[in-house]
Amino acid sequence: MTHTPTTRVDAGRGFIGTMTALPSYDDESYLDFVEGLRGFALRKVTPVAATQVRREAEQRGSPQDIKELRALADPIPVVAARNRLLRSTQGMNWERVLQSYDTRRQELEAELARYQVMGPARLELDPDFTYPEYYDSVHYHRQPGGYHDDPLAGYIYHYGTKVFHIGGNDHDESKIANAAATSQPADGHVTRVLDVACAIGSTTVAFKERWPNAEVWGVEASAPLLRYAHARAVRLGAEVNFSQRLAEDLRFPDEHFDVVYMSTLLHEMPVEEGRRALREAHRVLRPGGVLEIRDMQQASSPIDPWADYNRDFDSRFNTEPYAYPFVHSGVSTFLEELFISVDITPGHMTIWRCTA
């Protein structure tokens, strides 16, 4: 499908892919450097660090718990260098993105207000919505103000995650690919699709492109992310629906959807709330419907010392407090008890395909 918006309201220098460009070339150049430095840390330094940690663990004997693993890994020079690079580039990323968009704050907030009453996309915000404490208290990925405190959180999130993905999603490539690869029911019948925790709606719009005759919904807790998702969908001419709801309280009828999708959600929730969200997904799926989950790989048995250390580092220093408990939560067993069948594709980002 080719996007052909009928109305376009631009603030600033236009767009990079589907994201609002930063106000200055200097800001873009700086963040291109940050992106490159992050790529160096992940692609060049991390494999060396992982090898060193695994070697030390093998030579000294497997650590008994995460504290012992930290004591083993933290002093290794290449590990310390890699950790510092990731910490610094993340801070540099958010600081510059926020500063840049802040120079046009009034204009961008006015842009959101104009788009809010435009279609073909629809937006439902809940004036009585209360953020749960587990969400309200966390600024995920160290994004300033978290996902919900800043009216410009959608703009900030979109460009910040561009840098985070080191060039892999500048034009929604990874989101479009994920939507295209999402399983559908065996009978091929897809009339309603739900994207849970849709953030800025990239995958939501991609689902509408894949299933143009389906009714597509994206639900998300953050009002600022939803307002940006809606504005972005209007610009792209996508007839999708956005609604402010919690994953653990979807408020849709039983057996309402053919496909439900959750990407990188469960590791951002406490384990029990995540299981409530999975029960809700099961409830709103019709018999034969499919839930597809993409999230962090579960801890292996025996523990891979580098994978466990790396996830703990992310939890402690990248404001992901629920990630380490999630990878040790046994989510696969829980899903197998809840769904008729569960097909698992392992990997750094594991895919669970669950049939109701």
Side-chain angles (χ1 to χ4, degrees), residues 34-52:
V34 173
E35 186 177 310
L37 193 57
R38 174 175 167 78
F40 172 73
L42 290 174
R43 293 168 176 157
K44 300 296 185 181
V45 185
T46 291
V48 180
T51 298
Q52 289 292 321

Side-chain angles (χ1 to χ4, degrees), residues 29-46 81-93 163-164 166-167:
S29 297
Y30 177 89
L31 286 163
D32 282 348
F33 166 75
V34 173
E35 186 177 310
L37 193 57
R38 174 175 167 78
F40 172 73
L42 290 174
R43 293 168 176 157
K44 300 296 185 181
V45 185
T46 291
R82 176 262 188 188
N83 292 351
R84 183 67 268 168
L85 280 169
L86 290 181
R87 285 278 290 165
S88 295
T89 53
Q90 188 77 313
M92 294 161 71
N93 175 19
V163 176
F164 184 83
I166 48 178

Side-chain angles (χ1 to χ4, degrees), residues 243-355:
S243 184
Q244 189 176 22
R245 310 185 191 204
L246 292 173
E248 60 269 40
D249 183 22
L250 291 172
R251 307 196 318 272
F252 287 109
D254 292 355
E255 302 181 3
H256 193 63
F257 290 97
D258 305 287
V259 176
V260 176
Y261 181 79
M262 291 182 176
S263 178
T264 60
L265 165 65
L266 295 175
H267 78 268
E268 295 191 345
M269 308 176 75
V271 170
E272 186 50 45
E273 279 74 7
R275 293 188 172 184
R276 287 174 56 199
L278 292 173
R279 293 188 191 99
E280 271 289 88
H282 181 270
R283 180 186 66 77
V284 302
L285 270 174
R286 67 165 173 93
V290 173
L291 166 66
E292 181 152 313
I293 302 164
R294 291 174 180 263
D295 219 308
M296 293 175 174
Q297 185 174 27
Q298 294 286 283
S300 61
S301 180
I303 292 293
D304 173 357
W306 170 254
D308 212 48
Y309 173 80
N310 188 40
R311 188 55 56 222
D312 175 66
F313 169 81
D314 196 44
S315 289
R316 290 187 295 149
F317 296 113
N318 198 32
T319 320
E320 288 277 22
Y322 314 118
Y324 189 78
F326 168 71
V327 301
H328 288 271
S329 69
V331 68
S332 299
T333 300
F334 181 80
L335 289 168
E336 287 165 353
E337 293 171 352
L338 191 60
F339 287 87
I340 290 173
S341 67
V342 179
D343 178 64
I344 304 172
T345 303
H348 175 66
M349 289 301 296
T350 295
I351 303 171
W352 292 264
R353 297 179 177 92
C354 313
T355 302

